[in-house]
């Protein structure tokens, strides 16, 4: 994966660099205020690195983190990597120009290794400090492209990131019983207010919400789904002070 070994010890992260040709300037002078987390859906980090550095694939990311915690820097943070594709988050439709993309080596069917998650949290702390990115703007690929993408998937530990101040999680009060019944229109409106603007399809929105916040739950929209997104939208309205830590 590069020129030498990589180690993540505590909050100190050591990187190996390999330049991907699949990048360019951020459009209209944009700077990153979003982080998008992906999984590679490939058999190994080495194979993923080859794909992300192959000009024929026209895909890349700023960082690739292997299962053992090794971190490969592929595109400088100041440049636009080609990782997000079609989608939106709040008012941002060119997500590539406004984001930093992190790929996690994972097939999509296995838990994320502890060393990999440790390296991710160390990496995120540095990115957030450099760019003043707010926790609510650390999102998954599935958040900005509901129905088109499912990564980082139901096995990704979003709650851990939230506990470390690196993402967000619903308050316990969102689990409290509510007299309000499930309401598709209100649910879609609250999803958009939080950031899910790429689709208005309630089924796709519900799938994305549950993949992140209720990964083992199935069934039709219920009052807890509505309570969760109402809580998140009220505390973290999208694009409000987006670039202010």
């Amino acid at each position: 994966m590069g020129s030498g070994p990589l180690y993540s010890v505590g909050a100190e992260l050591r990187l190996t660099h390999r330049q991907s040709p699949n990048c360019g300037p951020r459009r209209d002078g944009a700077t990153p205020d979003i982080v998008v987390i992906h999984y590679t859906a490939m058999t190994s980090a080495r194979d993923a690195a080859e794909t992300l550095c192959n000009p024929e694939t026209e895909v890349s990311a700023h960082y690739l983190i292997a299962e053992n915690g090794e971190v490969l820097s592929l595109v400088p943070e100041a440049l636009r990597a080609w990782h997000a594709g079609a989608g939106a988050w709040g008012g941002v439709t060119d997500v590539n120009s406004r984001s930093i993309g992190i790929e996690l080596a994972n097939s999509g069917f296995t838990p994320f290794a502890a060393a990999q998650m440790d390296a991710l949290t160390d990496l995120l702390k540095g990115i957030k400090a450099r760019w003043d990115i707010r926790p609510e703007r650390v999102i998954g690929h599935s958040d900005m492209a509901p129905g088109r993408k499912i990564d980082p998937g139901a096995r990704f530990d979003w709650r851990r990131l939230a506990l470390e101040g690196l993402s967000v999680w619903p308050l316990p009060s969102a689990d409290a019983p509510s007299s309000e019944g499930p309401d598709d229109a209100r649910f879609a409106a609250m999803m958009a207010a939080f950031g899910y603007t790429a689709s208005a399809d309630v089924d796709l929105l519900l799938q994305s919400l549950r993949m992140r916040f209720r990964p083992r739950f199935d069934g039709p929209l219920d009052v807890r789904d509505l309570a969760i997104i109402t809580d998140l939208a009220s505390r973290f309205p999208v694009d409000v002070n987006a670039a202010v830590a």
Side-chain angles (χ1 to χ4, degrees), residues 202-219:
V202 170
D203 290 337
L204 292 181
L205 292 173
L206 182 59
Q207 178 186 27
S208 294
L209 178 83
R210 287 184 174 166
M211 194 176 306
R212 181 165 170 182
F213 299 110
R214 300 182 75 186
R216 287 171 292 278
F217 195 83
D218 199 4

Side-chain angles (χ1 to χ4, degrees), residues 103-135:
E103 290 275 1
L104 303 176
N106 186 285
S107 66
F109 301 102
T110 60
F112 292 84
Q116 189 176 49
M117 290 298 295
D118 290 344
L120 173 63
T121 58
D122 289 349
L123 180 62
L124 283 173
K125 288 173 184 176
I127 291 170
K128 283 169 55 50
R130 286 188 290 277
W131 298 101
D132 292 336
I133 296 175
R134 295 177 64 86

Side-chain angles (χ1 to χ4, degrees), residues 154-171:
R155 291 180 176 269
F156 185 74
D157 193 352
W158 284 105
R159 191 168 184 272
R160 170 182 170 165
L161 293 192
L163 289 171
E164 299 201 37
L166 300 171
S167 189
V168 296
W169 194 256
L171 290 174

Side-chain angles (χ1 to χ4, degrees), residues 46-69:
R46 187 176 299 277
D47 288 345
E50 293 305 317
T51 296
L52 295 168
C53 292
N54 182 348
E56 294 183 0
T57 66
E58 298 186 343
V59 296
S60 62
H62 293 89
Y63 297 99
L64 168 65
I65 306 179
E67 297 91 338
N68 64 358

Side-chain angles (χ1 to χ4, degrees), residues 89-90 143 146 184-199 201-202 204-210 213 221 225-226 228-230 232-233 238:
W89 188 248
D143 294 320
D184 285 2
R186 178 171 170 77
F187 175 74
M190 290 296 100
M191 288 287 281
F194 179 60
Y196 290 90
T197 54
S199 174
D201 185 307
V202 170
L204 292 181
L205 292 173
L206 182 59
Q207 178 186 27
S208 294
L209 178 83
R210 287 184 174 166
F213 299 110
L221 177 72
D225 299 310
L226 188 56
I228 286 171
I229 194 57
T230 299
L232 292 169
V238 73

Side-chain angles (χ1 to χ4, degrees), residues 170-178 214 224 227-228:
L171 290 174
S173 58
D175 287 335
S178 171
R214 300 182 75 186
R224 186 179 175 199
I228 286 171

